[in-house]
Amino acid sequence: MNNFPMPWNTSTTAFKTQQRPEHLYFGKAYDFMQSWLSGRQTFTLQTSGSTGDPKPIEIQRSQLIASARMTGKALDLAKGTRALVCLNVHYIAGLMMLVRGMELGWEMTIIEPSANPLVDLSVNGTFDFAALVPLQLASVLENAQTANQVGRLGKILLGGAPVPVSLQRKIEALTIPVYQSYGMTETVSHIALRRLNGENFSEDYHFLPNIIFGTDDRGCLHISGPVTNGEIVQTNDLVEITGDTFKWIGRADNVINSGGVKIVLDKVDAGVGEVFYDLKIASAFFNWFVVDEKLGQKLILVIEGTENAFQADDIIPQIRKRLSAYETPKHVYFVQHFSKTTTDKVDKRRTVQQLLASQNG
């Protein structure tokens, strides 16, 4: 038995006759859809902080329409598409599902966001398209009651967080197409996609139509086009561009200099993630640094939990087989719990600061 209200079903043609739902969350969705259908031209959204400090920005209606049409074309989502809206409509990913539905003529089923959206749906509900965060898809596949129902979601678009190795392996076994998105509030949702399974699997992201792209002198991606209202959005993402595709390397602010060698922490995280998967270690982790007199910045691995579950000595040799000597952490630390930001993301810097303070205290 779940604690969520019944799903709210709607379509652009039928929506105008519906009364405003009493439930607060559905009411927010209703208010946005009403303002959209009344012709509102400007909307204020909150950025996630991907390109700087979180802040409110104004987005033009034309940008939202351009983004919706790009997605519809890229994923072949025509009029009549049955879409499940299970992301928070207060943020760009959920909001764009509503825009796509109205602009492209979809039939939408809107539910309040939860860890496992299939738990909150009737057994007979099937869809052509759903956008999820990786945690939601992982919850669906880890639940014995819903794991064999994932096909009900149709094409799946993942965004908002990296896809961990354990989830990637499960995705590769699925027959329905699963895509990972690249984008942010400033680009009005995604501007590139990559297929995570099937014959069209790709490690590189493919730019969507009408996106103008390039890199700055750091090698970081910049983007412009109708979705940015012609303005250039500069990111901190290091990329390697080939034709109309790019490989994501890592964040420029996640690069350290250890003994004169630049180390991309995101790359190290990916390698360690593979090792953890092979060793069947489910603990959360991240790679960071501490100040070192000899190296300047010394690479460390921080694991959430206790060392009793496994030995650090078992991990380092396996990492060394997969990564270079420079990219192998010089020390492993264990902490009971990671510090989190107000948006529930791991605060790596604060976690390490508290770790060192506890050791020095």
Side-chain angles (χ1 to χ4, degrees), residues 253-292:
D253 44 5
N254 273 351
V255 177
I256 67 171
N257 189 318
S258 185
V261 177
K262 289 186 177 180
I263 300 173
V264 182
L265 297 179
D266 296 294
K267 180 185 176 184
V268 180
D269 283 345
V272 173
E274 295 279 355
V275 171
F276 272 40
Y277 178 79
D278 292 341
L279 295 177
K280 295 181 171 55
I281 298 173
S283 302
F285 71 90
F286 65 84
N287 289 274
W288 200 246
F289 68 92
V290 293
V291 176
D292 183 78

Side-chain angles (χ1 to χ4, degrees), residues 116-342:
N116 186 338
L118 285 183
V119 170
D120 305 310
L121 289 169
S122 64
V123 176
N124 297 324
T126 57
F127 305 92
D128 303 306
F129 177 63
L132 311 172
V133 295
L135 177 62
Q136 287 176 310
L137 181 55
S139 297
V140 168
L141 296 175
E142 290 167 2
N143 186 314
Q145 294 180 335
T146 59
N148 61 352
Q149 299 180 36
V150 67
R152 296 168 54 197
L153 296 173
K155 295 175 183 174
I156 296 176
L157 179 64
L158 294 178
V163 175
V165 177
S166 57
L167 178 57
Q168 173 61 40
R169 295 293 180 267
K170 293 178 181 178
I171 289 172
E172 291 169 2
L174 298 179
T175 56
I176 57 173
V178 181
Y179 298 85
Q180 185 174 16
S181 65
Y182 174 89
M184 58 208 74
T185 308
E186 294 89 336
T187 61
V188 191
S189 189
H190 52 269
I191 52 84
L193 300 171
R194 74 181 187 100
R195 180 76 178 265
L196 297 181
N197 62 349
E199 294 181 358
N200 295 320
F201 168 83
S202 175
E203 293 185 353
D204 297 346
Y205 289 92
H206 294 252
F207 286 105
L208 297 187
N210 303 318
I211 297 298
I212 302 168
F213 52 86
T215 56
D216 64 5
D217 54 6
R218 301 171 299 165
C220 291
L221 180 67
H222 59 71
I223 307 150
S224 63
V227 293
T228 68
N229 205 26
E231 297 182 5
I232 295 176
V233 174
Q234 179 64 59
T235 76
N236 286 321
D237 291 320
L238 297 164
V239 299
E240 292 178 357
I241 296 177
T242 304
D244 290 334
T245 69
F246 71 91
K247 185 184 298 294
W248 185 79
I249 306 302
R251 298 271 300 177
D253 44 5
N254 273 351
V255 177
I256 67 171
N257 189 318
S258 185
V261 177
K262 289 186 177 180
I263 300 173
V264 182
L265 297 179
D266 296 294
K267 180 185 176 184
V268 180
D269 283 345
V272 173
E274 295 279 355
V275 171
F276 272 40
Y277 178 79
D278 292 341
L279 295 177
K280 295 181 171 55
I281 298 173
S283 302
F285 71 90
F286 65 84
N287 289 274
W288 200 246
F289 68 92
V290 293
V291 176
D292 183 78
E293 185 175 335
K294 181 180 179 181
L295 296 174
Q297 294 177 313
K298 182 169 69 174
L299 179 64
I300 63 170
L301 172 62
V302 185
I303 301 174
E304 190 172 44
T306 63
E307 193 171 358
N308 296 334
F310 49 88
Q311 297 295 319
D313 292 343
D314 297 332
I315 302 172
I316 296 300
Q318 297 302 318
I319 295 175
R320 191 175 292 114
K321 291 178 183 179
R322 193 176 296 271
L323 298 171
S324 70
Y326 295 107
E327 295 168 321
T328 300
K330 303 302 182 284
H331 192 83
V332 179
Y333 292 95
F334 291 84
V335 297
Q336 194 65 38
H337 298 290
F338 290 159
S339 296
K340 298 290 186 71
T341 66
T342 54

Side-chain angles (χ1 to χ4, degrees), residues 79-150:
K79 183 177 180 180
T81 291
R82 297 166 301 172
L84 174 63
V85 182
C86 56
L87 295 177
N88 196 328
V89 299
H90 297 170
Y91 299 99
I92 188 63
L95 195 72
M96 278 308 304
M97 287 295 289
L98 300 181
V99 174
R100 293 170 194 140
M102 291 184 287
E103 280 300 301
L104 304 179
W106 293 354
E107 298 175 5
M108 293 184 286
T109 297
I110 305 170
I111 64 173
E112 189 170 17
S114 65
N116 186 338
L118 285 183
V119 170
D120 305 310
L121 289 169
S122 64
V123 176
N124 297 324
T126 57
F127 305 92
D128 303 306
F129 177 63
L132 311 172
V133 295
L135 177 62
Q136 287 176 310
L137 181 55
S139 297
V140 168
L141 296 175
E142 290 167 2
N143 186 314
Q145 294 180 335
T146 59
N148 61 352
Q149 299 180 36
V150 67

